[in-house]
Amino acid sequence: MSEALQKSSHLITILTLLLEGKRLSSNDMFASNSNQYFVQIKKQGIELIEVWKANDTNRGKHKERRLHQSIDNIKRAEAYLCKLLGKTNAHGAES
C-alpha cells in the first residue's frame, strides 16, 4: 500500500469513527503517529473537542477527541470524508 493511500485510509477510518460519535485517542489508532491525522482533520475546519485524560497504565495523560456536534461541523466532516473517498457530496457536486 502506498504511503499516501495508507494516510488517506487512516484519515477515513478516524473520520468515520468520529462521525459515528466515537471518542478517540491516539492510542486507538493503528498508525505510528496518529496525532498527525487529528491535526489534518482540524486543518479542514472541522472542530474537535479535545479533553486531557489520565492514562490507565501510567501517570501520563492523553487527549481524547470527539467531533463537535454542530450541524455545520458535521457537514464539514461529511464533506471531507466524501472528498477522501472520492465521492460526490449530498448535493451532487464533486467534492
Side-chain angles (χ1 to χ4, degrees):
M1 181 182 293
S2 76
E3 186 176 331
L5 183 58
Q6 188 174 14
K7 284 184 178 185
S8 290
S9 176
H10 290 315
L11 274 171
I12 289 166
T13 300
I14 291 168
L15 206 48
T16 300
L17 291 171
L18 288 170
L19 281 163
E20 290 174 357
K22 305 276 194 258
R23 294 173 187 250
L24 304 174
S25 71
S26 59
N27 297 337
D28 297 329
M29 300 297 107
F30 305 111
S32 62
N33 180 15
S34 58
N35 284 318
Q36 69 183 325
Y37 302 109
F38 293 108
V39 170
Q40 184 66 30
I41 289 168
K42 291 191 313 186
K43 283 184 178 180
Q44 298 300 314
I46 300 165
E47 186 180 352
L48 301 177
I49 296 172
E50 300 176 309
V51 178
W52 284 102
K53 297 283 188 172
N55 292 343
D56 292 334
T57 58
N58 60 40
R59 294 187 201 179
K61 294 181 181 180
H62 66 276
K63 279 187 182 177
E64 186 177 85
R65 298 164 172 102
R66 61 185 162 89
L67 190 67
H68 177 65
Q69 294 293 307
S70 73
I71 293 170
D72 288 340
N73 198 52
I74 292 169
K75 286 181 182 178
R76 278 191 295 277
E78 288 173 339
Y80 185 44
L81 180 59
C82 285
K83 179 180 176 182
L84 291 171
L85 293 170
K87 295 182 177 181
T88 56
N89 63 24
H91 301 291
E94 185 69 30
S95 297

